[in-house]
Amino acid sequence: DAGVIQSPRHEVTEMGQEVTLRCKPISGHDYLFWYRQTMMRGLELLIYFNNNVPIDDSGMPEDRFSAKMPNASFSTLKIQPSEPRDSAVYFCASSTTGVEETQYFGPGTRLLVL
Amino acid sequence: GDSVTQMEGPVTLSEEAFLTINCTYTATGYPSLFWYVQYPGEGLQLLLKATKADDKGSNKGFEATYRKETTSFHLEKGSVQVSDSAVYSCALSDRRGSYIPTFGRGTSLIVHP
């Protein structure tokens, strides 16, 4: 398996622009997570899905952030409009139900909002 | 709620030195405990885990023992290499409900030749 795939790997945009981050989880995994990592706050859970359904979005910072999972193999995290304080590395991770609680992370998208 | 506390970094060591990165946790249930490693430019990957008290997780020369009495899961390695330079994150997963992990802030390790 190719692991969790994220795109783009790097994104530079200007304040006010829309940003869309993409994730393909590992096939067969039924949980998908979006995290944000910054020096100040460390790793923060933004939202997670189970079987394509959003379960907990309490970590989403504000209404400018939205996430979708239209099918088991694809998810997006959208920021509209983007702000400089959104600059961070965004990770997608997937896992599977059961005893195995390990999360498998993608390589991340490094976002810079100017 | 659940929480994980790690020692502040960076930790700077010479090659072949002994490594300890402290991790303590707070949880109301009986969590599983994890150490993840993140190499530069990459995502986190599982290094080792322990699912019950007194279990020892080990991988690539790293070890950590689940200590319920001290609520700790300290990471150790007897002889570090330059290639071990990375960020190490302690995490717990409370099995009462959703298995969603709680991560510590991460500790950066820098190993010099």
Side-chain angles (χ1 to χ4, degrees):
Chain A
D1 199 314
V4 176
I5 298 172
Q6 290 187 248
S7 64
R9 291 294 308 275
H10 303 272
E11 177 80 30
V12 180
T13 191
E14 293 188 345
M15 183 174 64
Q17 296 299 305
E18 178 180 294
V19 175
T20 299
L21 311 181
R22 297 173 177 80
C23 175
K24 176 178 168 45
I26 292 173
S27 177
H29 281 192
D30 51 356
Y31 281 89
L32 184 139
F33 306 81
W34 282 101
Y35 291 91
R36 178 171 67 178
Q37 185 180 49
T38 61
M39 291 291 291
M40 291 294 294
R41 294 173 171 265
L43 194 68
E44 302 174 275
L45 177 64
L46 300 177
I47 185 172
Y48 77 92
F49 296 82
N50 180 220
N51 292 322
N52 314 336
V53 176
I55 303 300
D56 185 351
D57 66 354
S58 59
M60 297 284 261
E62 48 197 274
D63 291 345
R64 298 183 297 106
F65 285 69
S66 62
K68 294 181 180 179
M69 192 166 186
N71 57 62
S73 60
F74 183 67
S75 177
T76 59
L77 178 68
K78 186 175 294 187
I79 308 172
Q80 167 63 21
S82 58
E83 296 182 3
R85 60 192 167 122
D86 301 330
S87 298
V89 181
Y90 290 82
F91 288 104
C92 176
S94 68
S95 68
T96 188
T97 307
V99 176
E100 181 57 63
E101 303 143 305
T102 302
Q103 299 214 327
Y104 296 82
F105 283 77
T109 295
R110 187 173 296 274
L111 173 65
L112 177 61
V113 183
L114 302 174
Chain B
D2 297 344
S3 67
V4 174
T5 303
Q6 291 182 234
M7 59 189 292
E8 292 274 335
V11 173
T12 304
L13 297 173
S14 296
E15 205 165 24
E16 299 184 2
F18 184 86
L19 168 71
T20 299
I21 300 178
N22 291 337
C23 170
T24 57
Y25 67 90
T26 301
T28 53
Y30 297 93
S32 293
L33 301 174
F34 307 80
W35 276 102
Y36 283 82
V37 59
Q38 184 179 13
Y39 299 103
E42 299 182 12
L44 285 74
Q45 54 185 281
L46 180 68
L47 179 60
L48 54 84
K49 65 185 281 189
T51 58
K52 61 182 187 295
D54 299 325
D55 268 3
K56 178 184 285 187
S58 62
N59 186 24
K60 299 181 181 179
F62 291 89
E63 292 183 341
T65 301
Y66 190 141
R67 301 288 188 199
K68 186 169 180 290
E69 64 276 13
T70 55
T71 62
S72 65
F73 192 55
H74 304 322
L75 182 69
E76 297 182 335
K77 186 175 185 182
S79 176
V80 293
Q81 305 300 313
V82 172
S83 57
D84 293 327
S85 298
V87 175
Y88 294 82
S89 296
C90 186
L92 70 82
S93 175
D94 190 335
R95 287 169 288 167
R96 287 176 304 151
S98 61
Y99 298 95
I100 307 307
T102 301
F103 284 88
R105 288 287 304 273
T107 302
S108 176
L109 170 65
I110 302 169
V111 181
H112 293 293

